[in-house]
Amino acid sequence: MCTRVLWNTNDLAVLTGRSMDWPESTQPLIVGFPSGRDRDGSRPTGIVADPNPLRWTSRYASLVTTVYGLGTVDGLNEAGLAGHGLYLNETDFGPRDPAKPGVQAGLWLQYLLDQADTVAEALRLMDEIQPVKVSAHGRDANLHVALEDAGGDSAIIEFAQGRAVVHHGRQFTLMTNDPTYDEQLNLLSLQDFSHPSREMPLPGNVNPVDRFQRAAYYSALLPTPGSQREAIASVMAIMRNVSVPFGAPYGDFGVYNTEYRTVTDLTNRMYFFELTTSPNVVWVDMDRLKLDDTPVAVDPYDQSLIGDITDRFAPREMAF
């Protein structure tokens, strides 16, 4: 499940919020990866065997949240590109074309953060590769990806019948889950949320369509921020509003509880993280993060973490 909201219309900072909704813990780690790291698009070993795996050496350092220790689902790089992998049941990467290097879906976003400094460059790289479907913990990694950069550019990338469907432009600020992005935009056009009022009826369910439209409504209400603190709080407030509370019945709603929320400040290269089972918001200043040759990480389930955790990172071996 999940929701993504981009705020690129204020004069203070380019900010993005995302929520992670899933039926169990994704075992997240917040990881700093140094540049110069060699990767293989078919690894971690045992996830997928591929006839032509994409291999690369990262150009940029990155700060990401991992999923099951097998890939990246959220984060930014030192050049000011950020990305978010969300679930889309209708994803269809198509049959494997061995003429193109393949990258397992859990490393798709990490590859773009490793190699691109802007949305435009990331889209260019997409022409050269093929994401490959994988499964973990009994669930398929049916992902679509949202990207944004420090200049405020944005793109949504989905795969249908083996072909990439790209929505590229600053206006594409919202994303949830099914239906496809074209259909979400069509449904949004039926209700004008650009001029919200207290009389306007607002969709209140936790399904992806209602969350998409509610995110549009509250994004249109965002006040001019007086400080970075106010701007971060504004985006986090929207992410809390579009989150799924504990106890939502999976079978009836087809959605899952929110495990965590993040806000990415691309202008100042800061990353804010809120675990829904913890009262603490934590954040990382990427410019102060010490990245040498080894990845460093923190476990957000550590209840002692609070506030600025930049100095709490410790070396950690990662499978990718």
Side-chain angles (χ1 to χ4, degrees), residues 127-143:
D127 293 335
E128 304 172 359
I129 67 167
Q130 181 182 19
V132 179
K133 184 176 182 177
V134 291
S135 299
H137 287 231
R139 294 178 174 87
D140 293 334
N142 293 332
L143 298 179

Side-chain angles (χ1 to χ4, degrees), residues 17-316:
R18 89 73 60 81
S19 60
M20 166 58 85
D21 308 338
W22 205 240
E24 63 183 8
S25 172
T26 60
Q27 303 170 20
L29 294 174
I30 306 174
V31 181
F33 282 113
S35 61
R37 186 169 178 83
D38 294 330
R39 300 195 198 271
D40 183 319
S42 67
R43 295 180 181 175
T45 302
I47 298 302
V48 62
D50 193 273
N52 181 17
L54 177 68
R55 293 186 173 91
W56 71 95
T57 301
S58 60
R59 296 176 58 196
Y60 301 110
S62 59
L63 177 65
V64 305
T65 297
T66 62
V67 55
Y68 295 131
L70 304 177
T72 293
V73 75
D74 194 73
L76 73 158
N77 69 18
E78 62 182 329
L81 178 72
H84 323 274
L86 279 65
Y87 187 81
L88 182 70
N89 188 58
E90 294 190 39
T91 295
D92 179 6
F93 294 124
R96 182 72 180 96
D97 177 4
K100 281 189 172 184
V103 55
Q104 60 104 335
L107 291 185
W108 174 18
L109 175 58
Q110 186 64 58
Y111 169 68
L112 298 178
L113 293 177
D114 280 351
Q115 303 302 90
D117 56 352
T118 64
V119 169
E121 173 63 10
L123 294 179
R124 187 192 68 77
L125 292 174
M126 285 301 305
D127 293 335
E128 304 172 359
I129 67 167
Q130 181 182 19
V132 179
K133 184 176 182 177
V134 291
S135 299
H137 287 231
R139 294 178 174 87
D140 293 334
N142 293 332
L143 298 179
H144 57 166
V145 164
L147 301 170
E148 64 275 345
D149 60 34
D153 196 9
S154 174
I156 310 296
I157 309 172
E158 298 181 344
F159 273 81
Q161 297 179 332
R163 299 178 63 86
V165 180
V166 177
H167 297 263
H168 182 198
R170 294 175 60 91
Q171 70 273 30
F172 300 116
T173 59
L174 309 175
M175 190 167 86
T176 56
N177 315 109
D178 293 83
T180 61
Y181 203 69
D182 282 325
E183 183 61 21
Q184 288 277 26
L185 293 177
N186 180 59
L187 292 170
L188 185 65
S189 70
L190 302 178
Q191 174 68 67
D192 182 13
F193 290 115
S194 60
H195 298 89
S197 69
R198 66 179 185 178
E199 290 80 21
M200 180 180 290
L202 186 62
N205 211 310
V206 291
N207 65 64
V209 172
D210 280 18
R211 284 186 283 112
F212 193 103
Q213 298 190 9
R214 203 156 64 249
Y217 177 92
Y218 285 108
S219 292
L221 284 174
L222 285 171
T224 301
S227 65
Q228 183 201 32
R229 184 186 183 115
E230 289 182 13
I232 296 296
S234 295
V235 176
M236 188 65 82
I238 294 179
M239 303 322 299
R240 290 169 179 152
N241 186 283
V242 297
S243 292
V244 180
F246 299 142
Y250 304 155
D252 294 339
F253 282 65
V255 296
Y256 306 112
N257 299 333
T258 298
E259 181 184 17
Y260 63 79
R261 293 173 281 263
T262 70
V263 175
T264 305
D265 181 340
L266 285 85
T267 302
N268 299 291
R269 289 181 296 282
M270 295 187 70
Y271 191 64
F272 297 77
F273 188 103
E274 181 181 56
L275 192 69
T276 56
T277 55
S278 170
N280 302 334
V281 176
V282 299
W283 59 87
V284 185
D285 183 342
M286 192 175 182
D287 290 344
R288 290 178 37 233
L289 194 62
K290 297 176 182 178
L291 293 175
D292 296 319
D293 298 326
T294 304
V296 294
V298 294
D299 182 349
Y301 274 89
D302 179 352
Q303 296 292 296
S304 71
L305 298 176
I306 185 170
D308 186 348
I309 60 170
T310 307
D311 296 330
R312 296 288 300 272
F313 281 71
R316 187 164 186 137

